[in-house]
Amino acid sequence: MSADRARRNAEAERDELYDEARGNNPRLQSLSEEKRKLEQAIVQLEEDLEEEQANTEMYMEKSRKSQSLTKDLKSKLESAENERGSRLKGQVRSLEMKISTLEEQIEVESREKHSLQKTNRRLDRKNKDLIGQVEEERRRGDQLHEHNDKLSLRMKALKRQLDEAHTAPTP
């Protein structure tokens, strides 16, 4: 009589564990899919970040060239002012206009550079957040996998107990 009760208890526990293990499987698949999507998002953000960094470097190089050209033009202007010729006065005005244009261009490029740096910082923060999410999902997936393994081991033990209960002589 106690063997029958033990067998029934073992079968009930086995059925509960089996149902619980089956219930975790879709959750595990959902987490895996979410992890895959987050990893794709990270790859895309890293590509965007690399592109933004390349653009920033390009604008910085343009800015350096513009500053160098401005210095050259200012030097030429100073030299032209020293000669004071009527012919040079027209060149001086032309050079002043070029300097003004270049200074405006430098200011525009400086604003663009600032905007790109701001975008880079935002992308870096977003990338770090996504990496943290992926790590958390990975930990959750590992925990679910570990729980599933424990349930499988428990189910095997219960099956063994059930088999032993079946094979044991009933008094």
Side-chain angles (χ1 to χ4, degrees):
M1 185 136 185
S2 88
D4 283 340
R5 188 179 327 131
R7 183 179 52 80
R8 277 181 287 190
N9 286 342
E11 286 175 348
E13 193 174 341
R14 179 201 63 199
D15 292 342
E16 285 177 26
L17 288 173
Y18 183 72
D19 289 342
E20 186 179 338
R22 226 179 329 136
N24 283 334
N25 205 6
R27 221 169 100 200
L28 186 61
Q29 289 173 349
S30 171
L31 288 174
S32 295
E33 180 64 23
E34 186 175 343
K35 175 186 168 191
R36 185 188 63 75
K37 287 179 182 178
L38 288 172
E39 288 174 341
Q40 286 176 341
I42 287 173
V43 168
Q44 181 62 42
L45 284 173
E46 288 173 342
E47 291 173 1
D48 291 347
L49 181 61
E50 287 176 9
E51 182 180 334
E52 290 296 329
Q53 288 172 339
N55 287 339
T56 300
E57 289 176 16
M58 181 181 71
Y59 281 115
M60 289 175 72
E61 182 61 30
K62 282 184 178 180
S63 177
R64 284 191 288 272
K65 287 180 181 179
S66 295
Q67 288 173 349
S68 174
L69 184 58
T70 300
K71 286 179 184 178
D72 289 343
L73 290 174
K74 282 184 180 181
S75 173
K76 287 180 183 180
L77 176 63
E78 288 174 7
S79 130
E81 286 177 349
N82 290 337
E83 294 183 7
R84 302 267 186 224
S86 63
R87 177 180 60 106
L88 296 177
K89 286 184 182 180
Q91 288 178 345
V92 168
R93 274 182 261 146
S94 173
L95 290 173
E96 286 174 341
M97 288 173 53
K98 285 181 181 178
I99 288 172
S100 176
T101 302
L102 288 171
E103 287 174 341
E104 288 174 12
Q105 183 180 359
I106 288 171
E107 186 176 318
V108 167
E109 290 174 359
S110 177
R111 283 192 297 263
E112 289 175 350
K113 176 185 167 187
H114 178 71
S115 175
L116 287 171
Q117 288 172 339
K118 190 176 179 181
T119 301
N120 280 343
R121 287 190 298 270
R122 181 180 51 80
L123 287 172
D124 280 341
R125 283 191 303 270
K126 196 170 186 176
N127 191 18
K128 287 177 185 175
D129 289 345
L130 285 173
I131 287 171
Q133 287 176 7
V134 166
E135 289 299 323
E136 181 61 32
E137 291 300 324
R138 187 176 295 138
R139 279 191 292 275
R140 276 196 256 159
D142 289 344
Q143 287 172 350
L144 284 173
H145 185 67
E146 205 174 276
H147 183 67
N148 199 17
D149 289 345
K150 287 178 183 177
L151 288 175
S152 293
L153 289 174
R154 180 69 178 142
M155 195 171 3
K156 286 178 184 177
L158 288 172
K159 282 181 182 178
R160 196 175 335 108
Q161 287 176 3
L162 183 62
D163 288 342
E164 288 173 6
H166 280 298
T167 59
T170 310

